Amino acid sequence: MKASDLMVAALEAEGVEYVFAVPGEENLDLLESLRTSTIRLVLARHEQGAGFMAATYGRLTGKAGVCLATLGPGATNLTTPAAYAALGAFPLVIITGQKPIKTSKQAQFQIVDVVSLFRPLCKASTQIVNGNRIPSLVREGFRLAQEERPGAVLLELPEDIAEEQTVEPVIPPHDRRYAVAGDAALDEAARRILAAQRPLLLIGAGANRRRASKVLRKFVSDTGFPFFDTQMGKGVVDEDSELYLGTAALSSGDYVHCAIEKADLIVNIGHDVVEKPPFFMEPGGQTVIHINYKAAEVDQVYFPQLEVIGDIAGSVERLGNRLDGKLQCDRSYYTVLHHEIASHISETSDDERFPMVPQRVVADVRSVMARDDIVALDNGIYKIWFARNYIANEPGTILLDNALATMGAGLPSAMMAAMLSPGRRVLAVCGDGGFMMNSQELETAVRLGLNLVVLVLNDAAYGMIRWKQDQLGFPDYGLTFSNPDFVTYAQSYGATGHRVERSADLVAVLNAAFEAGGVHLVDLPVDYSENKKVLIDELGAKVCEL
């Protein structure tokens, strides 16, 4: 068997459905092998688009997504998706090409040490130097990418290795199970929880796994445990619950921090240090129980007093059995806080000002999306508004990146969600700056026949940094730009463009776009003048009262 055929057979054995790619001449043997396989090749317009789609496949399915690029500039364009997967804990396998390594007549043309370049970003970065190594390296690559904590793996397949003959058989994957926390740790956790007066549950990014969500929902329902979540923990437990106390979108001074200050014990499930700390521990402060697949990474602001290490779903299920209706805590303050948060979120949600204020944008988006519809956010100041104000009912329905927080990932991420969930509404929410970084993937979305709506929040600036610039007292400088006519731009790709000209029209425009099907872009002018007023001045004053 040719090595490239063996590579594809190994991918098929891993259950690979798609390869997202911008191929080059060094990939042509592999491309030919893919042509006759069961795997669907998805041709992207930029390697970043391919990488973000593959990483989002991993995020939504738990199975490693696969992307393909050539050597040199093709490979270097995948460094950002590799970092996106590494920090976000999304399983991703990256395959890159390379010039022949046995004999080469092109000297150093386009050659970069890709394996070394990717090593800091990946759980493994390996050049395949013999076709017979392919089965073991592919199996090991997928194992590493998918096991906790998930991340990226790079496999470099040189041109001459891809075309050589091999004799090794494929190594099939096998089931694996994580160990569960020991009885002593679970008994002590239960004892401390039952002894607490105002325990509080935190759901972090590491809990956003398929099995964990189901168990955590039952745990909260059975125990009546008040909870809050991080941005990447949104939707793990239904935020419509009376027990929900908000999302930690700001570092301090928000309603949720009132709950944290009143709590005497915090059960932190799925803590991931890549997210901004949702709270800061202090000597003599609250007791913290760390429940996760791995031990805590201790620093000055996070030093849990008890660690429950093992499979999160299994550990939480067994902890719930120990509590079993025995949790008799004081929820009175949390109840007051829950209603304060609900009232705060509803403020300005019907504001008629135009350009639109973020609170109205979030409220209108929430009104057109069903419980299991999907919102994929790019990165900008609007992400804070969505994290705080958008109520997530199901896991995987609001795709926030609070890890690498890279611009340019929102559109490809939404495209992948639309491919995996064709019966659900999928909305990409992008700032104009982030959208233009990978806007060429509109053509890919149209070519794939996706049903997708892209909401572009238009303020002709890098709004998040402009806000920070203003906070620091610096003059307004260097962060504004001009945009294309987004309606015409969308039409040039074969998509449908819309422009909102009144706040009252957004809901109707979004509904009409979803009902029509296909790819739609909605150009929405937005006003971020509320950022400082609400998120700093007003919020600080109101929270202080509590």
Side-chain angles (χ1 to χ4, degrees):
M1 181 182 288
K2 193 166 76 167
S4 61
D5 290 337
L6 179 59
M7 184 84 168
V8 170
L11 296 178
E12 289 177 317
E14 297 290 341
V16 173
E17 300 175 274
Y18 307 98
V19 170
F20 304 91
V22 180
E25 61 181 282
E26 289 73 26
N27 308 122
L28 288 176
D29 285 285
L30 189 61
L31 197 64
E32 172 59 19
S33 298
L34 284 168
R35 184 181 66 83
T36 56
S37 74
T38 60
I39 298 171
R40 182 181 178 186
L41 180 77
V42 178
L43 184 68
R45 301 304 301 268
H46 191 281
E47 289 85 359
Q48 274 197 13
F52 289 141
M53 290 184 76
T56 303
Y57 177 92
R59 177 181 193 173
L60 292 173
T61 67
K63 301 187 297 181
V66 180
C67 57
L68 172 70
T70 189
L71 81 170
T76 60
N77 280 342
L78 285 175
T79 54
T80 301
Y84 178 72
L87 270 68
F90 311 142
L92 174 68
V93 172
I94 300 167
I95 301 171
T96 57
Q98 188 52 275
K99 293 292 184 187
I101 57 174
K102 296 179 180 178
T103 59
S104 178
K105 299 179 181 179
Q106 296 194 41
Q108 295 299 307
F109 176 66
Q110 284 196 311
I111 291 181
V112 174
D113 186 350
V114 171
V115 172
S116 295
L117 176 68
F118 277 78
R119 195 164 282 134
L121 301 173
C122 293
K123 298 177 78 173
S125 181
T126 307
Q127 184 184 71
I128 301 172
V129 298
N130 186 300
N132 290 337
R133 294 289 314 281
I134 287 173
S136 60
L137 289 175
V138 170
R139 176 79 283 273
E140 181 68 359
F142 275 79
R143 181 188 71 81
L144 286 170
Q146 292 169 174
E147 76 176 9
E148 291 293 338
R149 181 181 180 268
V153 168
L154 176 106
L155 296 173
E156 182 182 75
L157 181 62
E159 193 174 359
D160 54 347
I161 304 302
E163 64 185 14
E164 71 182 19
Q165 295 297 306
T166 65
V167 295
E168 291 296 312
V170 166
I171 299 174
H174 57 275
D175 289 336
R176 62 158 302 164
R177 294 288 184 269
Y178 292 97
V180 177
D183 288 337
L186 289 165
D187 289 343
E188 178 62 15
R191 185 191 70 77
R192 294 196 183 204
I193 291 169
L194 293 174
Q197 295 298 308
R198 287 185 300 275
L200 187 60
L201 183 67
L202 168 59
I203 299 168
N208 206 342
R209 307 287 188 265
R210 286 192 162 196
R211 287 186 61 244
S213 177
K214 181 179 179 181
V215 172
L216 271 164
R217 285 171 176 246
K218 185 176 187 302
F219 178 82
V220 169
S221 175
D222 290 350
T223 62
F225 222 124
F227 73 96
F228 71 106
D229 49 32
T230 67
Q231 293 184 44
M232 295 181 73
K234 284 183 73 66
V236 173
V237 177
D238 189 350
E239 293 176 350
D240 262 332
S241 168
E242 290 286 325
L243 299 166
Y244 171 62
L245 298 173
T247 298
L250 301 175
S251 298
S252 61
D254 204 346
Y255 285 98
V256 69
H257 298 104
C258 298
I260 293 166
E261 290 169 10
K262 293 286 186 181
D264 55 354
L265 180 141
I266 297 175
V267 179
N268 194 355
I269 300 181
H271 175 71
D272 197 322
V273 295
V274 300
E275 290 203 84
K276 291 181 180 179
F279 67 93
F280 300 99
M281 291 186 66
E282 297 177 356
Q286 304 102 324
T287 297
V288 173
I289 299 175
H290 173 94
I291 301 180
N292 213 329
Y293 295 96
K294 294 186 177 181
E297 295 183 39
V298 173
D299 56 28
Q300 289 90 340
V301 297
Y302 190 66
F303 42 89
Q305 290 87 351
L306 177 64
E307 299 192 40
V308 180
I309 307 304
D311 176 70
I312 286 179
S315 297
V316 171
E317 184 174 42
R318 286 163 175 77
L319 180 60
N321 291 338
R322 284 164 168 80
L323 299 178
D324 193 22
K326 301 173 185 175
L327 187 64
Q328 301 294 324
C329 60
D330 180 4
R331 300 182 182 86
S332 57
Y333 178 76
Y334 296 147
T335 300
V336 171
L337 196 60
H338 171 83
H339 292 296
E340 287 285 343
I341 292 168
S343 175
H344 169 72
I345 288 175
S346 67
E347 290 176 5
T348 333
S349 61
D350 57 355
D351 195 302
E352 293 291 339
R353 277 177 288 175
F354 193 84
M356 288 183 73
V357 296
Q359 303 96 305
R360 174 71 184 267
V361 174
V362 177
D364 284 0
V365 167
R366 178 66 277 185
S367 73
V368 301
M369 305 299 280
R371 289 177 59 90
D372 63 345
D373 289 339
I374 300 170
V375 174
L377 299 180
D378 204 89
N379 274 278
I381 186 63
Y382 53 88
K383 188 179 73 171
I384 293 177
W385 290 103
F386 271 87
R388 295 181 73 253
N389 290 25
Y390 190 92
I391 298 299
N393 303 120
E394 301 290 340
T397 56
I398 180 161
L399 303 181
L400 280 149
D401 171 19
N402 192 36
L404 184 65
T406 179
M407 297 170 71
L411 173 58
S413 181
M415 289 164 58
M416 187 69 255
M419 289 180 68
L420 290 172
S421 303
R424 294 151 73 179
R425 289 184 171 187
V426 177
L427 177 72
V429 180
C430 307
D432 45 7
F435 171 72
M436 289 303 294
M437 290 185 179
N438 275 309
S439 62
Q440 71 282 342
E441 299 304 339
L442 276 179
E443 187 278 328
T444 308
V446 171
R447 175 166 30 93
L448 294 173
L450 300 181
N451 293 317
L452 174 67
V453 178
V454 183
L455 180 62
V456 178
L457 304 180
N458 188 344
D459 69 330
Y462 293 118
M464 170 72 89
I465 311 307
R466 199 180 186 194
W467 178 47
K468 294 288 186 180
Q469 187 180 57
D470 179 62
Q471 280 185 274
L472 292 172
F474 293 130
D476 187 4
Y477 172 74
L479 296 170
T480 59
F481 46 71
S482 298
N483 282 315
D485 180 328
F486 284 122
V487 172
T488 306
Y489 186 73
Q491 292 169 347
S492 72
Y493 284 114
T496 303
H498 310 263
R499 182 172 291 108
V500 176
E501 297 179 336
R502 296 187 312 152
S503 294
D505 293 341
L506 178 59
V507 168
V509 168
L510 291 176
N511 276 324
F514 281 120
E515 289 164 8
V519 180
H520 294 255
L521 183 151
V522 179
D523 178 4
L524 176 65
V526 64
D527 175 11
Y528 288 128
S529 64
E530 290 278 284
N531 293 343
K532 181 177 184 299
K533 174 175 172 284
V534 175
L535 297 179
I536 298 176
D537 299 336
E538 290 183 0
L539 189 61
K542 291 177 183 178
V543 167
C544 288
E545 294 175 0
L546 296 172

